[in-house]
């Protein structure tokens, strides 16, 4: 019985690629140095899967930024502003598209479906001159082959690529991106032909958009695209891979009718209805790559249950046509439990990172073939039983408190316009008030202090002194820049979710459980294994100290329950909304303690609210109901004079704007600049927003420093659709990934732009 892995983490077990990328970007190492680190990582990944007995090993899943940007490079779809003149796309052009450069901004970045991974959004139009400009897929296949590993090259499918794109600036939003299929298919044919010539016998096309709600016209594009490619597939086995949800009936019928495919890959973890779907009619003689090992969580697989599912599938497709696989790429999990030294034995037995999932896949394939490792299966069953019965998982008081929430919708008693009036009397802010989103640059020295404190190399007194000095510096800088509502800069936090998870019960943490978010940015998601509660205050000490250093309003900075949930590895033994309500109660306690301590502006970030939105429309209303309710729970008990902010970033918010309004925050700051001010189109189309709102005026994920004039122009565009009295001026997101040499001039220009507009508005009266 054969086994397959959809994709694998790229960063390396100790984030080797992250450090190599950042060294290259900082000019401290060469392109050759970066390429060597990448080649070493690729070879170790391929060898690991080969040694584990995996038959279908992926290649071309490694990326210096993301796989969609790699496809943009492959197709030569470089926006004109980057000055690319043809030929093989190099690092300069590639990273300029991803990160911008001194003269031009980066391309838009958004979330990869409902994950915390991001991709660079292609900008396309009728005038794009496509050309085969990156031979990465062939190069990496040949590289693996030279090491003795025959891989399955993976390509982002042509239809999903276009559906994930957007019309370029100046191209009308009604432009049909799918009309570009005839222009890109010749390049896909070239790539497939070159892979075949290099010796590839299998190719994997990832078409994840097939699990979304697609109309018949869009499904017809899949039919036409792969019918056109079919002649190129001669002599090849072709796998079409889907993941993250059930395949809709019509999408399944579309795929089943196509002759060019040898195999279909489906997600049987999140696609709970897929088994029933294929029972009805599975194409005769085709392979089924069954994703039964979860590619998006870190819990050990229920091997007995998965084996039962596989045996049912075997009866449908035949013994020789079933391949055991992961539900999606393992990119979304941590790399290897071997690197974890601090988990206790019980919790560690409950977990499986990417390396362990590879072993699980192979163990299931062997068991299905009649070579079951009884000891491995028994150990797995014992671990699952331990988790189910462990007293550290269940807290009856927390469960009762969360259950009691269902009787109320937890709304503040006064409407937002009246609250804003009360708050303005207390805060006395100018029009177009300026603020930042929370974090300030995380310097090497600051990271050293936190690291040494955790390692108990410095005392708590020395740690508090160092953090207080950093907060003082950040407060002083903001006062010098004349920012209106300040933040303390979060120097005590490595990560906005990790910080809270470390102080809440029901959470545990890995040492090296890093997961790529975008580019070199890695996060270490908390692991929620049990019921959640707050043993003591988490931020009051630092926020109160920061407020004591200034007469200006100081924001208390919290992460919201939905974001903590969506940016964690969440327990899979109860519905997600139950865990979210538990977190909401813990954050509610913190909000009320901040208010008692005299903090009058409290920001509860819900950066990941949109990220958790189910891919199918039929499931979205239920999610939005409990997610928005969870946010309201956190702050429904505060006074009218306490101003509640929230923040959201890097997702398409336009389709959930009414749910955002229903959150009933006093002020929302939201990413806007990198997405070409797409957010503003909602207000142009007549949506009325009465709360305070700060669409980001510059992109913090790029080192580029915007001018005062550029920021003023952005603010003017906002004033065309939003009332002056509700508009705030702020960056897109937190500043922790930037350097002070970038942050200071950018914020100076931001404040100057706000003051310029205030003067102009005053003179216009």
């Amino acid at each position: 019985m054969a086994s397959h892995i959809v994709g694998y983490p790229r960063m390396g077990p100790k984030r080797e690629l992250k450090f190599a990328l950042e060294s290259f970007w900082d000019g401290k190492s060469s392109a050759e140095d970066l390429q060597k680190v990448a080649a070493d990582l690729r070879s170790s990944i391929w060898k690991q899967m080969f040694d584990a007995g995996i038959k279908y090993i992926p290649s071309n899943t490694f990326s210096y930024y993301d796989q969609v940007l790699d496809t943009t490079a492959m197709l030569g779809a470089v926006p004109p502003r980057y000055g690319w003149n043809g030929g093989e796309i190099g690092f300069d052009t590639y990273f300029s598209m991803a990160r911008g450069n001194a003269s031009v901004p980066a391309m838009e970045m958004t979330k990869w479906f409902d994950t915390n991974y991001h991709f660079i959004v292609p900008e396309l139009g009728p005038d794009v001159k496509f050309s085969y400009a990156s031979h990465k897929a062939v190069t990496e296949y040949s590289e693996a082959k030279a090491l003795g590993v025959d891989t399955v090259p993976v390509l982002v499918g042509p239809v999903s690529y276009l559906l994930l794109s957007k019309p370029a600036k100046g191209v009308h939003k009604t432009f049909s991106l799918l009309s570009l299929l005839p222009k890109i298919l010749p390049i896909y044919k070239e790539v497939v032909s070159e892979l075949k010539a290099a010796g590839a016998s299998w190719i994997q096309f990832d078409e994840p958009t097939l699990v979304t709600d697609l109309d018949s016209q869009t499904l017809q594009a899949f039919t036409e695209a792969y019918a056109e490619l079919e002649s190129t597939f001669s002599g090849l086995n072709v796998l079409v891979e889907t993941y993250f949800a059930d395949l809709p009936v019509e999408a399944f019928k579309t795929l089943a009718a196509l002759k060019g495919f040898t195999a279909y890959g489906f997600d049987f973890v999140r696609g709970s209805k897929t088994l029933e779907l294929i029972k009805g009619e599975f194409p005769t003689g085709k392979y089924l790559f069954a994703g039964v090992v979860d590619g998006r969580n870190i819990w050990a697989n229920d091997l007995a249950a998965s084996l039962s599912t596989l045996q049912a599938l075997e009866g449908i497709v035949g013994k020789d046509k079933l391949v055991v696989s992961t539900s999606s790429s393992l990119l979304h999990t941590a790399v290897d439990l071997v690197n974890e030294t601090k988990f206790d034995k019980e919790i560690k037995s409950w977990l499986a990172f990417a390396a362990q999932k590879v072993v699980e896949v192979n163990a299931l394939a062997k068991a299905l073939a009649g070579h079951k490792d009884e000891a491995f299966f028994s150990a797995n069953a014992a671990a699952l039983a331990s988790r189910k019965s462990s007293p550290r998982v269940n807290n009856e008081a927390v469960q009762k408190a969360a259950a009691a929430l269902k009787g109320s919708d937890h709304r503040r008693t006064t409407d937002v316009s009246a609250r804003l009036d009360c708050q303005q009397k207390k805060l006395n802010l100018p029009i177009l008030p300026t603020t930042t989103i929370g974090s300030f640059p995380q310097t090497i020295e600051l990271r050293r202090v936190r690291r040494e404190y955790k390692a108990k190399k410095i005392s708590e007194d020395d740690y508090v002194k160092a953090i207080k000095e950093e907060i003082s510096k950040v407060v002083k800088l903001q006062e010098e820049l004349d920012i209106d509502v300040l933040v303390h800069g979060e120097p005590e936090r490595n990560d906005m979710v990790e910080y809270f998870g470390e102080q809440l019960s029901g959470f545990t943490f890995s040492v090296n459980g890093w997961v790529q978010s975008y580019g070199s940015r890695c996060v270490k998601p908390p692991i929620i294994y049990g019921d959640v509660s707050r043993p003591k205050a988490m931020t009051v000490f630092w926020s109160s100290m920061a407020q004591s250093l200034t007469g200006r309003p100081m924001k208390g900075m919290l992460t919201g329950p939905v974001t903590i949930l969506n940016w964690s590895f969440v327990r899979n033994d109860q519905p997600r909304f139950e865990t979210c309500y538990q977190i909401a109660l813990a954050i509610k306690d913190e909000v009320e303690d901040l208010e008692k301590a005299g903090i009058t502006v409290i920001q509860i970030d819900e950066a990941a609210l949109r990220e958790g939105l189910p891919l199918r429309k039929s499931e979205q209303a239920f999610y939005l109901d409990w997610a928005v309710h969870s946010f309201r729970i956190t702050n429904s008990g505060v006074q009218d004079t306490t101003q509640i902010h929230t923040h959201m970033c890097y997702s398409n918010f336009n389709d959930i704007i009414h749910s955002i309004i229903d959150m009933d925050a006093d002020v929302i700051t939201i990413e806007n600049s990198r997405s070409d001010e797409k957010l503003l189109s909602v207000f142009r189309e007549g949506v009325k927003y009465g709360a305070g709102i700060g669409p980001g005026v510059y992109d913090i994920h790029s080192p580029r420093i915007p001018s005062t004039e550029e920021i003023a122009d952005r603010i003017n565009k906002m004033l065309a659709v939003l009332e002056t009295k509700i508009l705030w001026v702020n960056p897109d997101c937190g500043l922790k990934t930037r350097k002070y040499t970038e942050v200071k001039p950018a914020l100076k220009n931001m404040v100057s732009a706000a003051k310029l507009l205030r003067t102009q508005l005053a003179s216009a009266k």
Side-chain angles (χ1 to χ4, degrees):
M1 187 62 59
S3 50
H4 166 252
I5 304 296
V6 176
Y8 201 81
R10 310 156 180 153
M11 283 288 123
K14 299 287 181 67
R15 295 180 291 164
E16 291 88 341
L17 183 60
K18 167 190 171 65
F19 298 123
L21 283 166
E22 291 173 355
S23 177
F24 174 69
W25 292 337
D26 289 342
K28 296 176 181 176
S29 61
S30 66
E32 290 74 20
D33 294 330
L34 175 57
Q35 288 164 335
K36 183 179 186 312
V37 170
D40 289 346
L41 283 171
R42 286 193 295 270
S43 87
S44 68
I45 290 167
W46 291 326
K47 185 176 186 303
Q48 178 187 351
M49 285 190 263
F50 183 81
D51 290 346
I54 302 299
K55 180 175 180 180
Y56 299 108
I57 296 170
S59 61
N60 199 40
T61 57
F62 185 90
S63 178
Y64 289 105
Y65 216 86
D66 77 72
Q67 68 271 32
V68 179
L69 183 62
D70 291 348
T71 309
T72 295
M74 181 185 84
L75 297 170
V78 181
R81 65 180 178 276
Y82 299 108
W84 176 64
N85 295 314
E88 189 80 2
I89 288 175
F91 282 157
D92 281 353
T93 300
Y94 181 87
F95 288 128
S96 289
M97 288 192 286
R99 306 176 72 240
N101 58 44
S103 57
V104 291
M107 295 166 69
E108 180 183 353
M109 182 168 69
T110 197
K111 297 289 176 72
W112 177 248
F113 294 86
D114 58 348
T115 75
N116 187 31
Y117 182 65
H118 299 66
F119 70 96
I120 301 298
V121 182
E123 301 173 11
L124 304 178
D127 300 326
V128 175
K129 302 283 192 296
F130 295 99
S131 64
Y132 187 9
S134 171
H135 293 67
K136 176 178 174 292
V138 180
T139 300
E140 289 187 15
Y141 172 79
S142 301
E143 184 183 317
K145 191 175 181 184
L147 296 170
V149 182
D150 189 24
T151 60
V152 179
V154 179
L155 302 174
V156 175
V159 183
S160 286
Y161 175 77
L162 292 177
L163 292 176
L164 293 169
S165 303
K166 70 174 186 178
K169 202 164 188 177
V171 176
H172 199 274
K173 66 179 182 179
T174 59
F175 173 72
S176 170
L177 292 160
L178 290 175
S179 69
L180 297 173
L181 264 175
K183 294 186 177 182
I184 68 170
L185 290 178
I187 298 168
Y188 273 90
K189 286 182 178 181
E190 282 190 73
V191 177
V192 171
S193 296
E194 282 197 9
L195 286 167
K196 189 161 54 172
S201 57
W202 280 83
I203 292 181
Q204 175 178 319
F205 284 90
D206 281 7
E207 290 283 11
T209 55
L210 278 164
V211 304
T212 62
D213 297 307
L214 302 177
D215 59 28
S216 58
Q217 186 177 356
T218 305
L219 289 173
Q220 181 62 26
F222 282 94
T223 300
E224 292 170 2
Y226 286 99
E228 177 66 23
L229 290 171
E230 188 180 328
S231 61
T232 320
F233 294 161
S234 176
L236 280 172
N237 295 294
V238 179
L239 162 65
V240 61
E241 184 69 52
T242 67
Y243 34 79
F244 298 156
D246 286 301
L247 200 67
V249 173
E250 292 307 314
F252 177 73
K253 288 179 179 177
T254 298
L255 283 184
L258 287 166
K259 298 175 183 175
F261 295 134
T262 314
Y264 305 93
F266 299 142
D267 182 340
F268 285 89
V269 176
R270 292 190 171 228
S272 57
K273 301 172 186 172
T274 302
L275 178 59
E276 293 303 315
L277 179 68
I278 66 170
K279 276 181 182 176
E281 184 180 0
F282 189 79
T284 305
K286 303 293 186 181
Y287 287 84
L288 173 63
F289 282 56
V292 293
V293 173
D294 194 348
R296 291 184 55 177
N297 218 323
I298 42 68
W299 302 109
N301 187 268
D302 185 337
L303 295 177
S306 292
L307 186 58
S308 176
T309 298
L310 290 165
Q311 287 165 340
L313 292 169
E314 191 178 54
I316 299 168
V317 303
K319 198 176 191 73
D320 62 333
K321 296 297 182 184
L322 184 62
V323 177
V324 183
S325 184
T326 53
S327 66
S328 67
S329 172
L330 297 176
L331 173 70
H332 311 289
T333 66
V335 179
D336 196 341
L337 266 177
V338 169
N339 300 311
E340 299 305 322
T341 55
K342 294 190 177 178
F343 287 134
D344 64 61
K345 188 175 179 181
E346 183 182 43
I347 284 185
K348 196 168 186 177
S349 74
W350 302 345
L351 306 176
F353 289 3
Q356 288 68 49
K357 289 175 185 291
V358 169
V359 174
E360 288 178 337
V361 166
N362 202 49
L364 285 165
K366 284 183 175 180
L368 204 56
H371 306 292
K372 185 178 179 183
D373 185 335
E374 295 292 351
F376 188 72
F377 272 69
S378 294
N380 173 259
L384 294 176
S386 157
R387 184 177 164 212
K388 189 172 184 179
S389 62
S390 176
R392 68 204 299 180
V393 170
N394 301 303
N395 183 322
E396 190 176 347
V398 171
Q399 292 170 1
K400 284 182 177 177
L405 293 170
K406 294 168 187 175
S408 167
D409 63 0
H410 296 89
R411 293 184 184 275
R412 293 171 77 177
T413 54
T414 310
D415 70 49
V416 68
S417 60
R419 296 198 309 262
L420 288 173
D421 287 342
C422 290
Q423 293 155 15
Q424 178 57 16
K425 287 173 185 173
K426 188 167 187 175
L427 298 172
N428 194 29
L429 297 173
I431 61 167
L432 306 181
T434 54
T435 191
T436 63
I437 303 306
S439 61
F440 265 65
Q442 299 268 315
T443 63
I444 293 172
E445 174 63 16
L446 187 55
R447 293 179 192 276
R448 181 192 64 77
V449 167
R450 283 202 307 264
R451 189 168 58 248
E452 291 186 353
Y453 177 60
K454 277 196 171 185
K456 298 184 173 156
K457 292 181 179 178
I458 61 173
S459 69
E460 183 170 0
D461 286 346
D462 287 341
Y463 172 72
V464 170
K465 181 183 176 185
I467 297 299
K468 185 172 181 179
E469 286 174 358
E470 183 68 19
I471 291 173
S472 299
K473 183 177 77 173
V474 169
V475 170
K476 184 180 178 184
L477 172 61
Q478 291 172 92
E479 288 184 328
E480 288 172 353
L481 291 168
D482 205 16
I483 292 173
D484 300 303
V485 176
L486 310 191
V487 298
H488 75 288
E490 304 177 10
E492 78 283 15
R493 309 178 194 183
N494 178 62
D495 177 87
M496 62 187 283
V497 174
E498 180 181 346
Y499 176 80
F500 291 97
E502 286 177 335
Q503 301 182 78
L504 294 168
S505 64
F507 283 74
T508 191
F509 286 84
S510 62
V511 175
N512 287 297
W514 298 99
V515 178
Q516 185 182 16
S517 179
Y518 62 87
S520 68
R521 168 79 169 140
C522 297
V523 294
K524 194 166 56 172
I527 297 167
I528 306 177
Y529 67 84
D531 291 329
V532 178
S533 61
R534 186 195 74 145
K536 62 180 182 180
M538 302 180 285
T539 66
V540 176
F541 174 77
W542 297 115
S543 292
S544 299
M545 185 231 289
Q547 183 63 81
S548 73
L549 299 173
T550 180
R552 302 184 185 211
M554 173 65 64
K555 285 198 274 191
M557 299 300 304
L558 304 175
T559 302
V562 185
T563 296
I564 290 176
L565 183 88
N566 285 335
W567 285 357
S568 297
F569 289 126
V570 183
R571 58 190 293 191
N572 58 0
D573 59 346
Q574 69 178 17
R576 287 172 71 88
F577 70 84
E578 290 186 13
T579 303
C580 199
Y581 283 157
Q582 293 177 0
I583 302 169
L585 283 172
I587 300 301
K588 179 179 188 292
D589 290 344
E590 188 71 13
V591 168
E592 292 173 2
D593 280 352
L594 281 168
E595 185 181 56
K596 288 173 189 171
I599 304 301
T600 56
V601 181
I602 302 171
Q603 182 169 307
I604 309 166
D605 285 347
E606 285 295 14
L609 181 86
R610 174 62 172 78
E611 176 184 311
L613 190 71
L615 300 178
R616 305 288 283 281
K617 289 177 183 174
S618 60
E619 300 167 11
Q620 291 175 358
F622 177 66
Y623 165 78
L624 288 169
D625 180 64
W626 63 254
V628 170
H629 185 195
S630 295
F631 176 82
R632 290 200 307 263
I633 288 166
T634 65
N635 62 86
S636 59
V638 301
Q639 300 173 33
D640 288 352
T641 50
T642 297
Q643 189 167 85
I644 299 296
H645 289 223
T646 191
H647 170 67
M648 297 181 180
C649 57
Y650 297 104
S651 287
N652 180 11
F653 299 106
N654 294 22
D655 54 349
I656 63 163
I657 190 66
H658 293 290
S659 294
I660 292 173
I661 294 170
D662 198 38
M663 291 170 72
D664 199 28
D666 297 310
V667 178
I668 179 170
T669 54
I670 196 163
E671 181 273 324
N672 170 69
S673 63
R674 187 157 181 172
S675 57
D676 291 330
E677 295 145 355
K678 185 164 50 180
L679 173 71
L680 300 186
S681 65
V682 171
F683 305 112
R684 292 190 193 101
E685 290 162 9
V687 170
K688 298 297 180 186
Y689 194 78
I693 184 168
V697 296
Y698 78 91
D699 174 23
I700 63 88
H701 288 96
S702 170
R704 182 173 170 273
I705 298 165
S707 66
T708 298
E709 292 73 24
E710 181 182 331
I711 295 174
D713 181 58
R714 285 191 185 278
I715 297 171
N716 270 320
K717 288 178 181 175
M718 297 170 192
L719 288 170
V721 292
L722 294 165
E723 292 183 46
T724 307
K725 67 178 183 179
I726 67 170
L727 187 61
W728 285 64
V729 177
N730 47 263
D732 264 348
C733 205
L735 305 169
K736 67 184 294 182
T737 60
R738 300 267 57 88
K739 300 181 177 72
Y740 272 106
T741 52
E742 300 158 349
V743 166
K744 288 178 183 178
L747 290 180
K748 181 182 178 183
N749 292 348
M750 183 187 82
V751 173
S752 296
K755 289 181 176 179
L756 175 66
L757 268 295
R758 288 172 195 161
T759 302
Q760 291 177 358
L761 289 167
S763 63
K765 285 184 179 179

